[in-house]
Amino acid sequence: MRIGAYNQVAQLYGNQPVKKNYNQGAVGATSTTDQVSFSTVGKDMQIAKAALSAVPDVREDRVKALKESIANGTYQVSAESFADKILAAYDEKSF
């Protein structure tokens, strides 16, 4: 154990007393409070999220109508519309 090295370091920094604040909770001490603030964008997002949570994920009336038309054999798909959508999806993925 090298005590001499410690003495050299102590000489560099000098013998300055350490100040400790034991009375941090005493009278006259200032207290700070935490504050949170949201931007208008954040508030708008909260409102939109609350509105979306009230809407169901699946539109049951629409699903029921489609199921009935498929079961009846009256559901018609336009081949041209179907092809256009496939090509549009392919174009989006190719970029």
Side-chain angles (χ1 to χ4, degrees), residues 4-74:
Y6 173 74
N7 287 337
Q8 290 173 352
V9 171
Q11 287 174 357
L12 287 174
Y13 290 107
N15 292 335
Q16 298 174 357
V18 177
K19 295 180 181 177
K20 295 183 180 180
N21 292 333
Y22 292 109
N23 296 327
Q24 290 180 354
V27 176
T30 59
S31 65
T32 59
T33 58
D34 294 334
Q35 294 181 350
V36 177
S37 62
F38 295 102
S39 66
T40 56
V41 174
K43 290 178 184 177
D44 291 343
M45 288 179 69
Q46 285 180 337
I47 292 169
K49 187 177 179 181
L52 285 175
S53 67
V55 176
D57 290 337
V58 178
R59 293 174 31 190
E60 295 294 332
D61 57 335
R62 187 95 166 116
V63 171
K64 183 179 176 184
L66 287 172
K67 282 184 179 182
E68 288 176 0
S69 64
I70 291 171
N72 296 336
T74 59

